[in-house]
Amino acid sequence: QVQLVESGGGVVQPGRSLRLSCAASGFTFSSFAMHWVRQAPGKGLEWVALISYDGSNEYYGDSVKGRTTISRDNSKNTLYLEMNSLRTEDTAVYYCAKERSYQALWGYCDYWGQGTLVTVSS
Amino acid sequence: DIVMTQSPDSLAVSLGERATINCKSSQSVLYNSNNKNYLAWYQQKPGQPPNLLIYWASTRESGVPDRFSGSGSGTDFTLTISSLQAEDVAVYYCQQYYATPYTFGQGTKLDIK
């Protein structure tokens, strides 16, 4: 069965950096685009970033563009999100999610991890 | 960016009754070349990640009960639960994937009356 397990969250000071990881299993990771979506405490969903199945294309949300990099290692079945210059408003649960369609960049996700909490606070 | 606006923000429906959630996009999410609406619906229960219900505005995801249906085109969409069950209590989100940045509606909280 498909499993997505995020890690790397925690408490970080404003202005610092953080790298999140998402370990994937149960499907051919190298054949599916992957997303990061976040949810601030008690708030709605915010799409963060997308990377194509082969890593050749990346897309970002407005609030993280320029200080965030999504990447993947298909040999390790792992997705990453590196965030720099963190702000208090980046505090959220970060979910990794699998694109539903094979080798597509449609934009909707059929499997989600349980999320990892990032708290940006001094 | 495409702004997604859901209505109502919350609603309470009796068990067995119909629940209707609306979603409006600030611009059309209908791609004319393939006549597809780039619109998905998700269900999120407390403490859980979102669960895909509907994509292409009206295609039900595998395993989703047939009491859930999606409709609409262009800028106006509806998620309907035909006969509310207790396990349907959740927050529901629409999402456009017509253009990046992909955007979600603010969510609609559904409770039992």
Side-chain angles (χ1 to χ4, degrees):
Chain A
Q1 72 282 21
V2 173
Q3 279 200 308
L4 299 169
V5 180
E6 302 93 339
S7 60
V11 180
V12 60
Q13 292 180 327
R16 304 298 291 265
S17 299
L18 194 67
R19 188 175 84 156
L20 305 179
S21 301
C22 172
S25 61
F27 66 102
T28 306
F29 180 72
S30 59
S31 295
F32 292 87
M34 296 294 295
H35 302 249
W36 287 99
V37 176
R38 70 184 182 183
Q39 187 168 36
K43 302 297 184 182
L45 301 170
E46 180 186 9
W47 178 81
V48 174
L50 161 66
I51 187 167
S52 58
Y53 68 96
D54 59 0
S56 61
N57 291 286
E58 303 162 23
Y59 304 88
Y60 296 94
D62 292 344
S63 60
V64 303
K65 194 179 298 183
R67 57 190 186 94
T68 297
T69 302
I70 186 172
S71 61
R72 63 192 297 160
D73 186 335
N74 285 344
S75 68
K76 295 182 178 179
N77 289 349
T78 304
L79 174 72
Y80 302 101
L81 186 72
E82 180 143 11
M83 302 187 70
N84 303 312
S85 303
L86 282 161
R87 308 165 181 168
T88 55
E89 53 266 36
D90 294 319
T91 294
V93 173
Y94 285 74
Y95 296 103
C96 70
K98 170 188 167 290
E99 174 77 33
R100 189 188 185 281
S101 299
Y102 177 81
Q103 292 189 353
L105 278 176
W106 293 126
Y108 57 96
C109 302
D110 59 348
Y111 287 95
W112 299 60
Q114 290 297 312
T116 186
L117 176 62
V118 173
T119 303
V120 183
S121 173
S122 53
Chain B
D1 298 359
I2 300 175
V3 177
M4 307 300 290
T5 303
Q6 293 180 225
S7 61
D9 289 334
S10 64
L11 78 160
V13 174
S14 300
L15 289 173
E17 296 299 304
R18 178 185 300 261
T20 301
I21 299 170
N22 300 300
C23 175
K24 189 174 185 67
S25 57
S26 61
Q27 65 184 75
S28 177
V29 297
L30 172 63
Y31 195 42
N32 291 326
S33 66
N34 60 10
N35 201 37
K36 286 182 178 290
N37 288 282
Y38 285 51
L39 190 285
W41 288 97
Y42 296 88
Q43 174 194 65
Q44 187 178 32
K45 297 181 180 180
Q48 296 185 20
N51 179 48
L52 177 66
L53 297 175
I54 302 283
Y55 54 96
W56 301 126
S58 61
T59 301
R60 196 180 306 113
E61 171 66 329
S62 174
V64 173
D66 61 7
R67 63 180 181 274
F68 290 91
S69 63
S71 62
S73 185
T75 61
D76 292 281
F77 301 91
T78 299
L79 174 70
T80 301
I81 307 172
S82 60
S83 177
L84 190 71
Q85 304 299 303
E87 61 265 32
D88 300 336
V89 169
V91 179
Y92 293 84
Y93 295 93
C94 61
Q95 178 222 340
Q96 67 80 18
Y97 48 96
Y98 182 88
T100 59
Y102 302 138
T103 47
F104 292 88
Q106 79 277 18
T108 295
K109 186 176 181 183
L110 176 59
D111 279 317
I112 305 294
K113 185 186 293 183

